[in-house]
Every structure is written in C-alpha cells, then in structure tokens.
C-alpha cells in the first residue's frame, strides 16, 4: 500500500540538511549540538507520553487563562 501524500525521503533529508548547515554556519557547532540534543530528548519524551497514553490535561488547566 502506497500513500499518495507521502513526502519522499530525499526531500525530507535535504531540508533537514539545509537547516542543520544553516545552524552550523550561523551559531556554531556547540550551540547546534545542544539544539539537536534537546530536540531529540523532547521528541523521546513526547513519544513516551503518547505510547503510554499519559494525559496532560490537568497540567494544561493549571496554566490556562481564566
């Protein structure tokens, strides 16, 4: 089964490479590395929350404006 709206990997990785190269040239290796690590940690936490059906509604209600 093929998906008609699937983005080809070459485009996806090309855009990712462009963003990474831009970050490396503008803010340097160390800052770029920190951004990548924090993004990967946030993605892993989000994946874990989705996997175990963790409900964040009570936390959102604390910060919601009244």
């Amino acid at each position: 089964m093929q998906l008609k709206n699937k983005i080809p990997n070459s485009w996806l990785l090309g855009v990712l490479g462009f963003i990474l190269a831009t970050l490396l040239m503008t803010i340097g290796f160390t800052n770029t590395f920190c951004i990548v690590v924090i993004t990967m940690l946030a993605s892993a936490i989000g994946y874990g929350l989705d996997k175990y059906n963790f409900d964040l509604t009570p936390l959102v209600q604390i910060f919601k404006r009244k």
Side-chain angles (χ1 to χ4, degrees), residues 6-20:
K6 184 178 177 190
I7 299 172
N9 289 336
S10 59
W11 277 97
L12 184 63
L13 291 176
V15 169
L16 181 63
F18 178 77
I19 292 169
L20 187 61

Side-chain angles (χ1 to χ4, degrees), residues 36-56 59:
V36 170
V37 169
I38 291 169
T39 302
M40 290 175 70
L41 285 173
S43 296
I45 291 169
Y47 173 78
L49 292 175
D50 283 343
K51 183 177 179 181
Y52 296 110
N53 293 326
F54 192 78
D55 187 19
L56 293 176
L59 183 65

